[in-house]
């Protein structure tokens, strides 16, 4: 082994190390895969610079071959690593450019359409709020109810003509889908002694189906039982409720009517909130120009009902009322078909 052999090995290693800088300079300005690959081939291809230089290895003394071989591997790794890095950068840059083409990040964000409570839920909560400010608390009862709580205890025995007023879905001979919220009166009086002040909102069911009547609808029942409760208290509560709910002073009219569980009984009418009773043209479609709309029934609790519910009718008196919440919402928002509430059409629901 001669000194010149060693010198050749050293020279080769320097040449190989020098390729790193040369290669870096060559690919630095390149911005496409094809030209990067071409430069890679100039160095690592079959006739590339690195291979050409390494041809010398076979002529070197064995002790130097390993050193030169290692330098050759080092430059190969450096070049391959750099090519992979630059190609990766190109892929990311292309993806970013694609995003910029697809999305305009300067556009204002679309309003986020959050959900909200259904109109009937809003109306129910509002009604409960108004009554709770008067000292009423919420009571509840089952929608699948016994015939006894729905009818018998409310002085409507079987074969009583009043059963025809509420066409009933029967589950069995003794079980019904409640036709009104009035059975909650019975359940409350049977479980708590007077004084009682409750409201009971909830679903009820009847074999009814037209633009103002639905087979399932919502009522809110009210019951107050105490010493000295009078018809004037009932009227005061209803007037207060209507003026709060419609946010204006509307006249409430109690028209004598018959419900077996109250005596005296009345239909609750309110002044039409659309035409206010004026002779408008075309005729008001809400009240049909009568100037009044019915919103529910009411009256003083019948002593027979007190007897069924073990309340002393010598000591206590009470009033009760039941109103349809769909009707109330229709009157306040001008909804002209009860089915809109239940169809789930967002074009309707989003208005409230
Ligand atoms: C009753 O249901 C009695 N329980 C109310 C009552 C309670 C009277 C306490 C006395 C004391 P009525 O059947 O009239 O009464 O129904 C009350 C209200 O429910 C009606 O005024 C109407 O607003 C609403 N309503 C009745 N049937 C339907 C229906 N099919 N669809 C939508 N709303 C209805």
């Amino acid at each position: 082994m001669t000194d010149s052999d060693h010198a050749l090995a050293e020279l080769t290693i320097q040449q190989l190390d020098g390729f790193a800088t040369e290669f870096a300079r060559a690919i630095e300005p390149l911005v496409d895969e094809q030209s990067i690959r071409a430069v890679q081939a100039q160095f690592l291809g079959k006739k590339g610079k690195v291979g050409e230089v390494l041809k010398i290895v076979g002529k070197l003394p064995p002790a130097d071959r390993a050193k030169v071989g290692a330098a050759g591997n080092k430059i190969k790794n450096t070049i391959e690593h750099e090519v992979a890095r630059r190609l990766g950068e190109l892929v990311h840059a292309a993806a970013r450019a694609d995003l910029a083409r697809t999305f305009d990040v300067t556009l204002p964000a679309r309003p986020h359409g959050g959900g909200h409570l259904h109109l009937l839920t809003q109306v129910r909560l509002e009604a409960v709020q108004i009554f709770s400010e008067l000292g009423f608390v919420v009571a509840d009862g089952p929608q699948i109810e016994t015939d006894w709580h729905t009818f018998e205890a409310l002085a409507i025995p079987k074969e009583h003509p009043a059963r025809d007023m509420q066409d009933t879905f029967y589950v069995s001979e003794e079980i019904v889908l409640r036709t009104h919220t009035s059975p909650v009166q019975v359940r409350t009086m049977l479980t708590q002694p007077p004084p009682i002040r409750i409201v009971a909102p909830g679903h009820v069911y009847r074999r009814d189906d037209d633009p103002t009547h639905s087979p399932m609808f919502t009522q809110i029942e009210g019951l107050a039982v105490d010493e000295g409760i009078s018809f004037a208290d009932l009227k005061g509560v209803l007037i207060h409720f209507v003026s709060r709910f419609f946010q204006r002073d509307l006249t409430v009219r109690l028209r004598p009517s018959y419900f077996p569980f109250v005596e005296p009984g009345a239909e609750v009418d309110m002044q039409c909130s659309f035409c206010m009773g004026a002779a408008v043209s075309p005729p008001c479609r809400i009240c049909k120009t009568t100037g009044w709309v019915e919103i529910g029934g009411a009256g003083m609790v019948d002593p027979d009902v007190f007897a069924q519910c073990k309340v002393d009718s010598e000591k206590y008196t009470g009033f009760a009322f039941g109103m349809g919440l769909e009707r109330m919402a229709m009157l306040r928002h001008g909804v002209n078909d009860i089915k809109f509430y239940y169809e789930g059409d967002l074009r309707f629901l989003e208005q409230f």
Side-chain angles (χ1 to χ4, degrees):
M1 193 186 308
T2 62
D3 283 351
S4 70
D5 287 337
H6 282 308
L8 185 58
E10 285 305 320
L11 194 67
T12 308
I13 291 170
Q14 274 174 24
Q15 243 185 319
L16 289 169
D17 288 349
F19 286 157
T21 327
E22 199 183 324
F23 172 78
R25 268 199 214 116
I27 70 161
E28 212 253 359
L30 306 181
V31 288
D32 67 288
E33 179 176 356
Q34 208 183 357
S35 19
I36 291 174
R37 292 283 186 207
V39 172
Q40 181 187 20
Q42 276 172 29
F43 284 82
L44 299 186
K46 266 192 192 148
K47 296 204 168 144
K49 295 182 179 190
V50 175
E52 289 301 315
V53 170
L54 285 176
K55 278 182 182 162
I56 202 90
V57 172
K59 294 176 190 155
L60 292 173
D64 287 335
R65 281 182 202 162
K67 280 194 210 157
V68 175
N73 285 338
K74 188 172 153 206
I75 185 63
K76 277 186 199 160
N77 286 339
T78 306
I79 290 175
E80 272 162 9
H81 182 267
E82 189 57 13
V83 166
R85 194 183 69 77
R86 289 296 310 276
L87 292 181
E89 268 182 11
L90 286 183
V91 170
H92 280 117
R96 274 197 302 276
D98 214 29
L99 266 182
R101 258 200 312 280
T102 327
F103 299 107
D104 181 351
V105 290
T106 62
L107 279 179
R110 267 194 216 136
H112 185 262
H116 63 77
L117 295 177
H118 190 280
L119 174 60
L120 288 176
T121 311
Q122 294 176 29
V123 163
R124 193 186 72 213
L125 293 175
E126 261 180 69
V128 165
Q129 172 66 26
I130 296 170
F131 287 117
S132 69
E133 285 165 16
L134 296 175
F136 289 80
V137 294
V138 173
D140 201 7
Q143 294 176 28
I144 302 172
E145 186 51 288
T146 67
D147 182 278
W148 186 82
H149 287 89
T150 313
F151 297 122
E152 302 264 340
L154 291 165
I156 318 175
K158 289 201 168 72
E159 318 306 334
H160 191 292
R163 288 210 180 195
D164 296 343
M165 290 158 66
Q166 302 179 358
D167 226 344
T168 312
F169 289 109
Y170 280 88
V171 176
S172 68
E173 185 93 354
E174 292 305 323
I175 304 290
V176 299
L177 296 187
R178 67 179 181 187
T179 52
H180 53 174
T181 40
S182 299
V184 184
Q185 287 186 39
V186 177
R187 289 186 174 273
T188 307
M189 286 191 277
L190 283 171
T191 50
Q192 73 183 69
I196 294 171
R197 277 173 187 72
I198 56 118
V199 279
H203 288 154
V204 301
Y205 304 85
R206 291 184 197 179
R207 292 159 63 98
D208 262 351
D209 198 5
D210 66 42
T212 52
H213 293 85
S214 156
M216 191 275 291
F217 61 102
T218 324
Q219 285 191 337
I220 184 161
E221 190 82 9
L223 173 71
V225 180
D226 204 344
E227 290 180 48
I229 296 256
S230 73
F231 204 88
D233 296 320
L234 167 63
K235 192 164 182 189
V237 166
L238 292 173
I239 290 171
H240 176 80
F241 173 72
V242 167
S243 65
R244 278 290 306 279
F245 185 81
F246 288 92
Q247 293 184 352
R248 52 216 267 214
D249 286 333
L250 295 168
T251 310
V252 173
R253 177 174 85 171
L254 294 171
R255 192 162 32 86
S257 184
Y258 174 66
F259 297 96
F261 38 96
V262 285
E263 182 57 41
E267 300 271 10
V268 184
D269 293 343
M270 62 170 238
Q271 196 179 359
C272 178
S273 54
F274 279 80
C275 66
M276 303 296 283
V280 288
S281 175
C284 177
R285 64 185 167 80
I286 301 293
C287 69
K288 319 267 185 311
T289 64
T290 60
W292 297 97
V293 279
E294 180 209 308
I295 53 172
M300 300 302 289
V301 180
D302 193 293
D304 281 352
V305 176
F306 275 150
Q308 295 273 15
C309 300
K310 318 276 181 269
V311 174
D312 182 355
S313 59
E314 294 295 316
K315 187 170 174 196
Y316 296 109
T317 49
F319 68 71
F321 57 83
M323 290 180 288
L325 284 180
E326 283 80 358
R327 186 72 58 85
M328 304 289 289
M330 275 173 139
L331 289 169
R332 197 168 70 174
H333 298 284
V335 180
N336 57 11
D337 193 323
I338 200 163
K339 299 209 174 40
F340 287 134
Y341 295 123
Y342 304 113
E343 283 172 343
D345 187 334
L346 288 179
R347 289 169 304 174
F348 170 76
L349 297 174
E350 279 173 350
Q351 294 175 57
F352 310 102

